[in-house]
Amino acid sequence: MSRPKGSWRPPRGRALRASGGEPSVQDGQVARVVADDDLDALPRVVNLGELAGALRRSIGLVSYEPGRRDPRRAIIRVMDHNPLENGHDFPGLDSLVATKGGWVSIGKIASGFPARIQLFDPKLGALHVVIAGTTGSGKGGTAQMISLAYHANKMAQIYGDPKGASNPAIPKMAAYSGLTNHGALGAMRLSWWVLQHRIEEAARLELKNFVPTATRPYCATILDEAAQMLAPGAPNRKEAVKIVKDGASLTRSLGMPWVLMNQTVNLDQLGSEQAIRANLLAGGTWIILRTDSDQVNLGDLPPGFECLNPSLIPAVWAEEDDSLVYDPTVEESDPRRTFGLGYVAAPGGRAGMMRIDNLEDATEHIRPESVMAPVDVPWWGDEAYMEELAQTPIPGFEEKDGEGGTGEAGTSFPGVDLPKARERTSEEKVLAALRDESDPLYVDMVDQGDEINPDDIDFVERGHLLAASGVPESTFANVLNKLEKKGQIHRIKDGKLSNVALGSRPDDTGDHTP
């Protein structure tokens, strides 16, 4: 078959044969791919199914890695045996101590490199995590590993599990655990109230970048089976969506990351809120394990996962490419089961096949002296008051009645017909989204008319703002022009990216009255 002009192919000649001990490298071949002279760059993403077929391998035995610095180069690995098949034993709690940049290794990727996630960034703050995968894929084990990483780095945790105690070790590491639907909602409410306190304190003390201390630690919120709280038909759904939306958009600079676990990554399973998804994408790591074949067709995979199909991950490793008969008797802890096998991608990165370190129960690694709590909150530790907060809807979402309340406050009162809320204009939607995505301290400075140093301006990337606002692309540019003329926003160029910030430029004293 002829090769079309501008295509690429692996270089001819002998490929480099990997050598060394498992798991750092695997038996097989590794070759560097170099673009032809008439091609400026290799694709960042390839269809692994097609590549595996062309190389006569199963999809689990082929990997493609675009060059990190040279867009004309990439690496293809063709493995005789996947180094992830036997799993990797968890090396101990000290292995989870984060680097200065907040990175920890939670497993291995197919190339032998560590599978790393970033818990926090010294400048950006706490970073979120999304874990998706079907039953038996290893979501619980992955969440346990991340919870243990928080524990190793003396980060407080609030845990909500609608199913009950599906991860027995996590409540032992958490400052507060809410089990069942009712308890999980209570945990989410407490997280929201901790956030409100930190917003107020940050404004009062003029704090910008979050610096953790023993009394003001990072405080993560872990929500298992998120769809049971956020998907259509869930009790108190609107209140739960509000809590997660605020958490996804406001908590990074206040040291409060979120971990959402779910079967799929569909938008409706995340509360049907683009703002939630956009903030989770921009501010954290996505881990996608094995999915059901019908789910992947509905799944809304994030950037970095293009052309990957998590449903092709087998439930059990087989000697042949495909197992003829599914074996449900294989224990989840058995390395032959693909428990914890999936793809991981940090913000802006390409997803790589990885496997979580083997750890059935984290209990033996828990250090009681490292179980932290957000004791900077004055009411934390007052059990009666905390339970009252956990039982009470957050402001604006009071239940309509004592039983079966929907959490949709203000929609109906006996004998009173409330007018329908006015639909916000496109300009109002953009401004509201920009306020949600900006640092609360910066928003407060703009509102109060404070003199702002240019270095303190908090910009939001244009594409991120577009997704968060929900305004159609066809009108978005015009809306930005109008708002800039009024002095309500200003923009700068950073290379090819356009960034937007609230308020007029610091040196702009013109009259913006329309």
Side-chain angles (χ1 to χ4, degrees):
M1 183 173 65
S2 61
R3 182 169 56 89
K5 181 178 181 181
S7 65
W8 59 274
R9 61 185 176 189
R12 294 179 178 175
R14 185 175 64 87
L16 302 177
R17 178 166 291 277
S19 62
E22 196 275 340
S24 59
V25 294
Q26 62 285 330
D27 294 332
Q29 293 179 317
V30 57
R32 190 176 301 281
V33 184
V34 181
D36 286 343
D37 292 338
D38 58 350
L39 192 65
D40 293 331
L42 294 174
R44 299 293 299 172
V45 176
V46 300
N47 188 310
L48 279 183
E50 294 181 1
L51 181 61
L55 295 171
R56 303 300 189 266
R57 285 292 196 279
S58 67
I59 195 169
L61 298 179
V62 173
S63 71
Y64 174 86
E65 302 165 27
R68 295 178 181 272
R69 297 179 179 85
D70 187 347
R72 292 176 48 78
R73 290 173 175 259
I75 295 174
I76 288 181
R77 286 182 169 82
V78 182
M79 298 168 275
D80 298 330
H81 171 80
N82 193 308
L84 304 179
E85 182 172 342
N86 292 328
H88 315 93
D89 289 335
F90 175 59
L93 191 65
D94 290 340
S95 69
L96 291 175
V97 175
T99 67
K100 290 183 179 180
W103 292 91
V104 298
S105 173
I106 60 173
K108 296 285 191 301
I109 60 176
S111 62
F113 287 98
R116 302 199 307 162
I117 70 170
Q118 193 176 18
L119 303 182
F120 56 84
D121 183 281
K123 294 184 178 180
L124 298 178
L127 299 178
H128 307 304
V129 181
V130 175
I131 306 169
T134 191
T135 301
S137 64
K139 286 199 310 295
T142 303
Q144 178 181 245
M145 187 65 67
I146 292 171
S147 176
L148 195 59
Y150 289 147
H151 179 69
N153 292 282
K154 296 187 175 181
M155 300 169 69
Q157 302 177 56
I158 297 173
Y159 177 56
D161 183 0
K163 296 186 302 181
S166 54
N167 283 279
I170 298 181
K172 299 173 185 176
M173 295 182 280
Y176 183 93
S177 296
L179 309 181
T180 74
N181 280 74
H182 189 69
L185 181 59
M188 295 170 68
R189 288 168 175 164
L190 285 177
S191 173
W192 189 85
W193 282 112
V194 173
L195 172 62
Q196 305 315 303
H197 170 76
R198 289 196 171 179
I199 289 175
E200 294 172 2
E201 283 293 282
R204 183 176 66 85
L205 300 175
E206 298 183 351
L207 303 175
K208 186 178 180 182
N209 293 332
F210 182 83
V211 179
T213 66
T215 57
R216 190 171 180 258
Y218 284 107
C219 182
T221 302
I222 303 175
L223 180 60
D224 204 341
E225 294 297 340
Q228 291 195 24
M229 309 303 297
L230 304 176
N236 300 91
R237 176 177 180 268
K238 287 194 175 183
E239 181 187 7
V241 169
K242 165 67 174 175
I243 292 172
V244 176
K245 182 178 179 181
D246 285 355
S249 60
L250 301 176
T251 57
R252 274 183 291 164
S253 62
L254 297 166
M256 297 184 65
W258 272 72
V259 179
L260 287 186
M261 303 164 58
N262 201 43
Q263 295 267 340
T264 69
V265 293
N266 299 41
L267 190 61
D268 65 338
Q269 303 289 296
L270 298 178
S272 299
E273 281 281 349
Q274 185 64 43
I276 292 178
R277 178 179 167 81
N279 279 286
L280 293 175
L281 281 173
T285 299
W286 285 60
I287 300 174
I288 300 181
L289 308 173
R290 176 170 54 86
T291 62
D292 289 338
S293 58
D294 59 338
Q295 290 180 343
V296 75
N297 295 325
L298 299 173
D300 187 11
L301 296 179
F305 289 83
E306 297 91 343
C307 296
L308 297 177
N309 188 341
S311 73
L312 295 180
I313 297 174
V316 178
W317 293 105
E319 294 183 2
E320 300 297 331
D321 285 349
D322 296 295
S323 176
L324 295 178
V325 179
Y326 171 67
D327 183 3
T329 64
V330 177
E331 296 294 332
E332 290 186 353
S333 59
D334 191 317
R336 288 195 298 117
R337 180 179 285 277
T338 59
F339 182 85
L341 181 68
Y343 300 93
V344 59
R350 170 81 176 123
M353 178 176 280
M354 63 94 204
R355 193 174 189 183
I356 300 296
D357 287 334
N358 295 334
L359 179 61
E360 186 171 350
D361 186 354
T363 300
E364 65 176 291
H365 300 284
I366 297 174
R367 298 171 180 171
E369 70 277 9
S370 295
V371 176
M372 307 296 289
V375 293
D376 55 304
V377 182
W379 43 261
W380 195 273
D382 184 340
E383 294 185 6
Y385 184 69
M386 289 174 62
E387 282 307 307
E388 182 181 348
L389 290 178
Q391 301 290 332
T392 306
I394 65 174
F397 291 88
E398 293 78 7
E399 294 178 337
K400 293 191 297 182
D401 51 51
E403 297 182 4
T406 64
E408 301 176 17
T411 56
S412 176
F413 294 93
V416 178
D417 292 326
L418 296 178
K420 292 184 178 180
R422 179 181 65 85
E423 175 70 19
R424 289 188 298 180
T425 66
S426 295
E427 292 182 24
E428 290 171 338
K429 290 179 180 179
V430 170
L431 283 176
L434 186 54
R435 293 176 68 88
D436 285 345
E437 306 304 314
S438 301
D439 187 319
L441 296 181
Y442 175 69
V443 175
D444 190 53
M445 293 171 66
V446 172
D447 290 344
Q448 295 183 18
D450 295 342
E451 184 175 345
I452 301 174
N453 187 306
D455 293 335
D456 294 331
I457 297 174
D458 188 34
F459 286 97
V460 176
E461 196 272 317
R462 182 188 185 279
H464 186 82
L465 180 59
L466 171 63
S469 68
V471 173
E473 172 73 41
S474 57
T475 62
F476 186 69
N478 190 41
V479 170
L480 292 183
N481 289 334
K482 289 181 179 180
L483 291 175
E484 190 165 34
K485 288 180 180 179
K486 294 178 181 179
Q488 293 177 282
I489 67 168
H490 65 280
R491 292 176 282 181
I492 64 168
K493 280 280 189 179
D494 182 10
K496 294 183 179 181
L497 296 178
S498 176
N499 298 318
V500 186
L502 282 170
S504 58
R505 296 179 187 276
D507 58 349
D508 189 355
T509 58
D511 182 7
H512 297 279
T513 304

